[in-house]
Amino acid sequence: MTSQSSQASQTPQSPHTFQVDLRGLVDLLSHHLYSSPKVYLRELLQNAVDAITARRAEEPDAPARVRLSAEGDALRVEDSGVGLTESDVHSLLATIGRSSKRADGLQEVRSDFLGQFGIGLLACFVVAERIRVVSRSARTPGAAPVEWTATDDGSYTVRTLPDEARPEPGTTVHLVARPGAAEWLSHARVLSLARDFGALLPYDVRVGEEAVTDLPAPWDRPYPSPATRRVALARHCHDLFGFTPLDAIELDVPLAGVRGVAYVLPSAVSPAQRAGHRVHLKGMLLTERAEQLLPEWAFFVRCVLDTDSLRPTASRESLYEDETLAAVREALGDRIRGWLTGLAAGDPERLAAFLSVHYLGVKSLARHDEEMLRTMLPWLPFETTDGRLSLEEFAQRHPVVHFTRTVEEYRQVAPIASAQGVGVVNGGYTYDSELVEALPSVRPGTMVAELDADTVTAHLDAPDPDEELALAGFLSAARAKLDPLGCDVVLRAFHPLSVPALHLDDRSSRHEQARAEAEEQADDLWAGILGSLRGSAPRARLVLNHLNPLIRRIGALHDPELIGTATESLYGQALLMAQRPLRPADSALLNRAFLGLLEWATHSDSGQEGGRP
């Protein structure tokens, strides 16, 4: 028993073949592999162009034409390519996944083919319920024409035809639309798709009597002058992308087999928005949404190009990420960088117009490229206390380039620092603080320092010691009022006189403030942990301007409650002036101070504290 079972288990089993549900596969193609039914026409054009390429590899003088004819709900596509024999039909058309570009003498010219995946006519079932192919081989002159007819249920028939059915080598594909898909086979739609996909194909392609190809490409055409060329490319950009570009950048990378143009957008876009570029592969449009073609920093251009080196994905609707694509991306980035350098050297007006719109993209590039930072240094605009200047001009004016890391910090100190002659750069915008910190690397000897509350306070004049001593009681009451908010009170004399109080803090003091608030709200365990993290960072401070008349009058108050209300009002007003986001405690303080002032102003005893300050 055991021996018989062992022998039975060792008996060779007959191999089984996969069974393919063609309708299910078509559904998979139409809903998952391809983005739109329109790709059926690209597949037809691709097969025709590859067939012509194969024939011309052996017969350089062979005709090269593709003719499309749309009639009602049917489409006919005829090419003068290499054609098929009956054995080719069985092995290529009826075998899913088989590509005529893999073997059979075509390997040596495979790089000239568009198709690589052997899906072929299968994609046509997305719009057609029946496909009929009539073909005659150019390689086997004595072979009769052969007809292959397939339906979307997965069945097909093959038969030979008399010579007069197709006297010349080549292939004709007939499609009959599936219900609801006739519009895809209409003359207008076929012409539109053919021009979109095949405008740069190297052969004579027509829909009826109307030409599809438009060669040479706009960027390869001769023009009588550079100005004429710019106008022609601007018109091409408008027709293709719907905008008139600021400029056009040549993208000629012969070693990578790339020719094309990058159009500079006329309006600013978000750096996070990935651009969609048009890529043609050997003349055939591959995709309109190639996102990985350029470096991320080059988000201010839209490209259209033709290449023979990049690899498509299986759907032939995007690019395969490999070393070749990485090399092309770097080469195209170099072309755009070179364009910027050229503008800086020879056309400052066009560069200024470009930077007024796309300075963010150039800043993104400059922070990683020291040479680009050095080139763009006189041109890149920054917000400073001296106005909108380049870092080069600002560094010439100030021995120390102070900067803040946030917009809020800049708003706190900009008016006061400017009045004291301290130059400050707003580093709170994207990339700005990184570029300011990189300044010494391209401008040796430049001093760069982050501005903090201590630096600002040090530049403010201290009041006369006797006057400060006379205000000791007022200052003590004011400090006691703001101590629960983590804020000190100091007295200084500074300009402009119209500013009664200045709220100063920095990142370390804000972190300490946030930690203290979290400690108050935490349970015992977390309060202990947060308490152990208590730092020695300086606290925020409210700087009172001793030169301001209002501060002088408030300093003469003696009622501790009224001093507290006035101090809270000054604190809240200083926060609002700095445009800082208010915490719940700050909002409550503002409401309390406002109501307290109203109550004091309307008090029936007008003699209390000598009336209003």
Side-chain angles (χ1 to χ4, degrees), residues 3 10 19 96 209 229 269 281 299 324 328 355 357 394 601:
S3 175
Q10 296 175 3
Q19 301 298 311
I96 296 172
E209 299 299 323
R229 180 182 182 83
V269 294
L281 180 61
F299 55 82
T324 302
V328 168
L355 288 178
V357 178
F394 187 81

Side-chain angles (χ1 to χ4, degrees), residues 174-427:
H174 302 264
L175 301 185
V176 176
R178 64 169 56 249
E183 193 272 337
W184 289 102
L185 273 60
S186 67
H187 176 85
R189 178 57 68 92
V190 169
L191 178 61
S192 174
L193 292 178
R195 284 177 171 168
D196 197 35
F197 284 120
L200 301 184
L201 289 174
Y203 304 135
D204 179 16
V205 182
R206 295 177 181 271
V207 177
E209 299 299 323
E210 300 180 77
V212 167
T213 53
D214 186 20
L215 295 176
W219 51 85
D220 285 330
R221 296 172 189 170
Y223 296 96
S225 69
T228 306
R229 180 182 182 83
R230 282 197 297 270
V231 170
L233 290 179
R235 185 183 306 114
H236 175 250
C237 176
H238 189 274
D239 293 342
L240 204 61
F241 294 115
F243 65 85
T244 301
L246 287 177
D247 206 349
I249 307 170
E250 298 287 339
L251 299 179
D252 184 7
V253 188
L255 293 179
V258 171
R259 283 285 296 144
V261 62
Y263 293 116
V264 181
L265 291 167
S267 56
V269 294
S270 168
Q273 178 180 335
R274 297 305 300 270
H277 308 291
R278 288 177 65 95
V279 177
H280 295 256
L281 180 61
K282 304 179 183 72
M284 182 74 75
L285 178 65
L286 180 70
T287 179
E288 301 172 280
R289 301 183 302 275
E291 295 183 350
Q292 69 273 47
L293 185 65
L294 295 181
E296 290 186 4
W297 55 261
F299 55 82
F300 50 84
V301 298
R302 295 292 182 271
C303 292
V304 54
L305 55 82
D306 188 24
T307 175
D308 58 14
S309 63
L310 300 178
R311 291 174 56 194
T313 58
S315 66
R316 288 192 285 278
E317 293 187 297
S318 59
L319 297 171
Y320 186 81
E321 184 69 50
D322 58 9
E323 293 180 356
T324 302
L325 178 57
V328 168
R329 182 163 50 235
E330 182 177 354
L332 296 181
D334 288 341
R335 292 293 185 275
I336 298 173
R337 185 186 292 108
W339 170 77
L340 285 170
T341 304
L343 287 186
D347 200 340
E349 291 185 1
R350 287 171 66 197
L351 178 63
F354 166 76
L355 288 178
S356 67
V357 178
H358 295 299
Y359 62 89
L360 200 58
V362 180
K363 286 182 176 181
S364 173
L365 171 59
R367 68 192 178 115
H368 295 304
D369 190 322
E370 192 172 285
E371 185 59 35
M372 182 55 62
L373 176 58
R374 184 178 291 106
T375 302
M376 293 290 111
L377 197 58
W379 308 102
L380 289 174
F382 289 78
E383 183 180 357
T384 77
T385 49
D386 291 356
R388 198 162 180 80
L389 300 175
S390 70
L391 287 181
E392 175 68 28
E393 186 175 356
F394 187 81
Q396 292 174 358
R397 298 184 181 186
H398 299 278
V400 179
V401 178
H402 289 98
F403 72 98
T404 63
R405 291 192 182 275
T406 68
V407 175
E408 290 78 9
E409 290 174 358
Y410 178 79
R411 288 170 177 165
Q412 287 180 72
V413 303
I416 308 304
S418 179
Q420 308 306 312
V422 179
V424 185
V425 178
N426 184 355

Side-chain angles (χ1 to χ4, degrees), residues 537-555:
R539 288 152 48 102
R541 66 199 67 177
L542 181 68
V543 184
L544 303 180
N545 187 0
H546 186 53
L547 300 179
N548 181 270
L550 177 63
I551 295 298
R552 287 180 175 273
R553 289 200 297 269
I554 293 176

Side-chain angles (χ1 to χ4, degrees), residues 1-11 13:
M1 180 75 66
T2 302
S3 175
Q4 290 176 352
S5 298
S6 176
Q7 290 177 357
S9 64
Q10 296 175 3
T11 301
Q13 300 294 313

Side-chain angles (χ1 to χ4, degrees), residues 485-497:
L485 296 173
C487 184
D488 291 331
V489 178
V490 297
L491 187 67
R492 292 290 185 271
F494 56 86
H495 292 273
L497 300 180

